[in-house]
Amino acid sequence: MPVEFLGIAATNDGSETTPRSSSGAFDKDYTLRLARAHEEHGWDRVLFAYGSGAPEPSAAAAYLASKLDKLQILLAHRPNVSYPTFAAKTFATLDQISDGRLTVHFITGGTDHEQQREGDYLSKDQRYSRTREYIQIVKKAWLSREAFDHDGEHYHFADFVSDVFPVQQPRPDVSFGGSSPAAYAAGGAEADIFCLWGEPLAETAQQIESVKQAAKEAGRTDVPRIQVAFRPIIAPTEELAWEKAHRTVDRIEARKANGPLSRRHSLTNPENTGSQRLLAVADRGERFDRALWTPTAKATGGAGNSNALVGTPETVAQALLDYYDLGVDILSARGYDLLDDAIDFGRYVIPLVREEVAKRDRAKAA
């Protein structure tokens, strides 16, 4: 099965190692330049992430979709920020603007404080229940040409029918992520794509089985596709790659010395299970499997996609193929110099992985 690559659609050039150089959070020129670099170097889609106070991702995605012809969009969305019928229309309109290039990633929210910044005071379990109901309503709004009512735990409305529908038929894909039992249950039931952060191979295999089991318990005959995310650090030789990796952590620590990296995430006591898992792995050691390296995750408190793959392009490509062989067919990656690393990864790693996947597919067909 063909492999897919997901990059980042950042709206400015800031990262854990470098403060943004522009005066604002939304730099249109940089947003387009970064996306174009992904499109021109073999990436399939880019993620527009969500954060309270950050540029509104659906508007930024619409801007990008109107400028580029091929690059697909993964749009992050938090159910607490809009009503599901409104969201369904927004997504359908964006799918029209992009000529069918949209996937929607639903975020339940792993940090109470961050959710409360935009008025969301539900508990974690309540948020998962709401997200599951929200996704069901969005799907129905995309599919139904007849008016329908809804009387659920979190949403109540009557006689809704949309007048705008997605280009993709029957609907765009739904993406979901998490590492807790509640996340497996919700995503296993509703997601077309289930997203994980990069962990050692053994732990990733266990998570994949948890997702499959949740899908089975929800009565599905299919299972979500699996996506795993990493922070690649590549260089022409192994020695140079490891020097670069240690410089990266030094730069993260230097940034931390001048203030918090993020207002959304605790460096020492994260609430969400995914970050707790990353820190637990880091406590067990720095290096795992072929190229997985944990100090980048430890330095950021396990914030988001933060475990690195370190080595030459060949080493990192082989490490990614190890995950592909587990059943992962969407590989998410972003470096710390967002633009240059996207170009280098696209030039030197993506072709190697695609070539090896094609060989595996030909061998299976034979």
Side-chain angles (χ1 to χ4, degrees):
M1 184 174 181
V3 67
E4 296 183 11
F5 287 91
L6 170 70
I8 191 71
T11 58
N12 60 74
D13 62 356
S15 77
E16 297 93 330
T17 61
T18 309
R20 68 188 186 215
S21 60
S22 60
S23 58
F26 185 30
D27 181 335
K28 289 196 300 181
D29 292 338
Y30 183 82
T31 300
L32 182 57
R33 188 161 67 251
L34 179 62
R36 185 168 284 133
H38 282 85
E39 185 172 80
E40 292 175 351
H41 291 88
W43 298 79
D44 296 287
R45 62 171 58 86
V46 288
L47 166 67
F48 279 91
Y50 191 94
S52 65
E56 203 286 308
S58 65
Y63 165 73
L64 198 68
S66 70
K67 300 290 185 181
L68 300 178
D69 297 325
K70 296 184 298 181
L71 193 66
Q72 298 176 56
I73 293 164
L74 178 60
L75 177 68
H77 180 76
R78 286 183 185 166
N80 61 293
V81 300
S82 70
Y83 210 72
T85 51
F86 176 84
K89 295 185 298 179
T90 300
F91 304 147
T93 304
L94 183 53
D95 202 50
Q96 292 279 347
I97 292 170
S98 66
D99 295 320
R101 288 180 281 149
L102 178 69
T103 298
V104 182
H105 180 67
F106 290 91
I107 301 174
T108 298
T111 303
D112 289 346
H113 188 201
E114 168 69 3
Q115 294 300 120
Q116 290 166 8
R117 288 190 171 113
E118 293 188 289
D120 185 7
Y121 285 84
L122 295 186
S123 68
K124 183 177 180 180
D125 286 344
Q126 289 173 321
R127 292 200 299 267
Y128 274 110
S129 171
R130 177 183 60 192
T131 299
R132 191 165 177 173
E133 184 178 343
Y134 195 100
I135 293 172
Q136 292 168 349
I137 294 169
V138 168
K139 287 178 179 177
K140 190 168 184 178
W142 281 341
L143 297 171
S144 178
R145 266 56 176 177
E146 301 294 331
F148 65 96
D149 303 338
H150 181 83
D151 185 15
E153 180 182 358
H154 301 279
Y155 300 102
H156 309 270
F157 57 85
D159 201 38
F160 176 80
V161 63
S162 180
D163 195 31
V164 57
F165 296 95
V167 170
Q168 298 176 78
Q169 293 299 314
R171 58 171 177 78
D173 280 345
V174 165
S175 171
F176 190 90
S179 297
S180 66
Y184 299 143
E190 300 296 338
D192 303 295
I193 299 167
F194 197 99
C195 306
L196 304 170
W197 291 334
E199 295 186 15
L201 290 164
E203 283 81 354
T204 301
Q206 292 168 359
Q207 288 192 288
I208 292 172
E209 288 306 311
S210 295
V211 174
K212 289 180 177 179
Q213 181 62 32
K216 181 179 179 181
E217 291 173 357
R220 292 178 60 168
T221 57
D222 64 339
V223 294
R225 299 167 66 199
I226 302 296
Q227 172 184 303
V228 178
F230 303 97
R231 305 299 292 271
I233 300 174
I234 62 172
T237 69
E238 296 292 328
E239 182 180 9
L240 290 173
W242 285 104
E243 289 176 2
K244 182 178 178 181
H246 289 287
R247 285 199 308 273
T248 298
V249 171
D250 289 344
R251 292 170 67 193
I252 293 171
E253 296 294 346
R255 275 216 68 193
K256 285 164 56 179
N258 293 321
L261 295 175
S262 171
R263 297 179 66 243
R264 290 186 279 157
H265 183 84
S266 169
L267 292 176
T268 57
N269 189 31
E271 296 176 31
N272 59 307
T273 303
S275 294
Q276 293 168 5
R277 288 177 63 101
L278 294 186
L279 292 180
V281 171
D283 286 342
R284 285 166 40 204
E286 291 191 355
R287 296 179 67 168
F288 293 86
D289 304 321
R290 194 186 300 267
L292 190 73
W293 196 55
T294 65
T296 48
K298 190 169 186 177
T300 60
N305 170 21
S306 52
N307 267 339
L309 292 176
V310 182
T312 64
E314 292 78 12
T315 295
V316 170
Q318 288 300 319
L320 292 169
L321 287 161
D322 291 338
Y323 287 90
Y324 177 83
D325 291 338
L326 284 182
V328 176
D329 59 1
I330 304 174
L331 300 169
S332 174
R334 62 185 171 98
Y336 291 91
D337 183 330
L338 300 179
L339 181 59
D340 288 345
D341 287 345
I343 293 170
D344 286 346
F345 188 86
R347 281 178 175 167
Y348 303 119
V349 178
I350 289 178
L352 296 176
V353 176
R354 291 201 194 279
E355 180 181 359
E356 288 300 319
V357 168
K359 288 180 182 178
R360 284 161 165 76
D361 290 345
R362 288 194 296 271
K364 288 179 182 177

